[in-house]
Amino acid sequence: MAKEYLAVLGIPKKSALDAVHIAYAVVYKLDYLLTWNCKHLAHGEIRRKLRRYNGSIGLETPEIVTPIELMRRD
């Protein structure tokens, strides 16, 4: 699954561990994936692509958030 995410999300091979983190979060059906990594994980375009791809294959997508986003109070 991580290899598929590398291709679909355009994550460079040198950052393959980012795709592994996403795959674990999806497989274990986590509600959130907390990260400071805004380059490959919390990046808006990556989030959008991931939701679209996972939806097309019937998987739920965890909310990928930074600590600041998670702690924000409205």
Side-chain angles (χ1 to χ4, degrees), residues 44-59:
E45 185 66 17
I46 296 293
R47 294 183 210 192
R48 185 183 64 77
K49 286 179 182 179
L50 181 62
R51 278 192 305 271
R52 184 181 309 150
Y53 176 73
N54 282 347
S56 74
I57 60 172
L59 295 174

Side-chain angles (χ1 to χ4, degrees), residues 7-68:
V8 170
L9 303 176
I11 296 173
K13 286 188 180 191
K14 68 179 183 175
S15 299
L17 196 54
D18 294 342
V20 172
H21 289 146
I22 294 170
Y24 270 100
V26 170
V27 167
Y28 287 102
K29 300 180 181 180
L30 301 182
D31 293 326
Y32 295 96
L33 174 56
L34 186 65
T35 184
W36 281 114
N37 182 337
C38 295
K39 187 170 185 178
H40 299 127
L41 295 179
H43 187 280
E45 185 66 17
I46 296 293
R47 294 183 210 192
R48 185 183 64 77
K49 286 179 182 179
L50 181 62
R51 278 192 305 271
R52 184 181 309 150
Y53 176 73
N54 282 347
S56 74
I57 60 172
L59 295 174
E60 292 188 31
T61 302
E63 290 294 324
I64 302 173
V65 295
T66 65
I68 293 170

